[in-house]
Amino acid sequence: GIGGDIAALARSYGATVKTYSRSSTGTHVERRSEVASVAAEVLAETGQVDFVVNTAGVLPRGELAEASEETIYAATDVNYLAPIFIAQEFFGPLAKSNGSLLLFTSSSYTRGRSGYSLYSSAKAATVNLTQALADEWATSGVRVNCINPERTGTPMRTRAFGAEPAGTLLLSEEVARTSLDVLLSGQT
């Protein structure tokens, strides 16, 4: 998806990139202890952290009244608490490097829709978190941004919506390029 494409593009420009995910490293970003371990590991290996990108997300669909407690926690933990834990654990290293934190939202944040209450509300919270952190961390030199890609062809989207007509979705490589541009821009 988008995260893999960001990593590949950054590597192609010579960046040292460390990637973590449930599927590749068994890392659960919704668990603070695992995020703390990742931060310590990266610092031990590289000595500094310039950029942190969180593209992890889950897209549960269905009516809230019928959602299981497990679904509610999974959606809230991955889509909202994980960005908070990532921000907390990486603030120190990013402040030392005058680095940048990049989070992701969805167009679903702009309007809650039936069947997407958990996803839409968490993505709206991520936008507000980004705005608050950009303000809080401005004097520390840490830039905080949030990408809101249009409808993008990703495995998560395909699982949720099935095959969609060619040409109607952004390529995740395009979103990756924009993401790197934002990371390097100096804007917050």
Side-chain angles (χ1 to χ4, degrees):
I2 294 169
D5 288 337
I6 291 170
L9 185 59
R11 280 188 186 105
S12 77
Y13 287 117
T16 299
V17 178
K18 303 291 183 179
T19 59
Y20 297 86
S21 71
R22 268 186 283 194
S23 59
S24 67
T25 60
T27 305
H28 292 257
V29 292
E30 70 275 21
R31 297 178 186 160
R32 179 192 297 279
S33 62
E34 293 188 28
V35 174
S37 292
V38 164
E41 180 180 314
V42 170
L43 282 171
E45 290 179 17
T46 66
Q48 78 178 49
V49 176
D50 298 313
F51 306 104
V52 175
V53 178
N54 176 41
T55 60
V58 295
L59 178 56
R61 293 174 45 190
E63 300 294 320
L64 181 63
E66 298 167 8
S68 69
E69 187 172 339
E70 179 180 293
T71 297
I72 293 167
Y73 276 112
T76 304
D77 290 353
V78 172
N79 292 334
Y80 182 58
L81 293 180
I84 291 171
F85 297 151
I86 290 166
Q88 286 183 316
E89 295 298 331
F90 281 97
F91 172 73
L94 290 172
K96 286 181 182 168
S97 69
N98 288 321
S100 181
L101 172 64
L102 183 62
L103 303 175
F104 279 76
T105 190
S106 160
S107 60
S108 293
Y109 94 88
T110 61
R111 181 178 167 273
R113 296 185 331 223
S114 175
Y116 298 88
S117 58
L118 294 170
Y119 185 73
S120 294
S121 60
K123 292 303 183 178
T126 300
V127 170
N128 282 275
L129 175 66
T130 301
Q131 293 166 338
L133 291 180
D135 191 36
E136 283 181 30
W137 293 0
T139 59
S140 300
V142 179
R143 297 175 318 283
V144 185
N145 289 287
C146 189
I147 298 284
N148 177 17
E150 294 178 25
R151 298 166 0 117
T152 305
T154 64
M156 183 174 80
R157 183 171 181 90
T158 300
R159 281 190 302 275
F161 300 107
E164 296 177 271
T168 63
L169 303 175
L170 285 175
L171 298 175
S172 60
E173 294 89 354
E174 294 174 76
V175 177
R177 185 166 306 285
T178 298
S179 298
L180 290 185
D181 288 345
V182 168
L183 286 168
L184 296 171
S185 73
Q187 296 180 31
T188 190

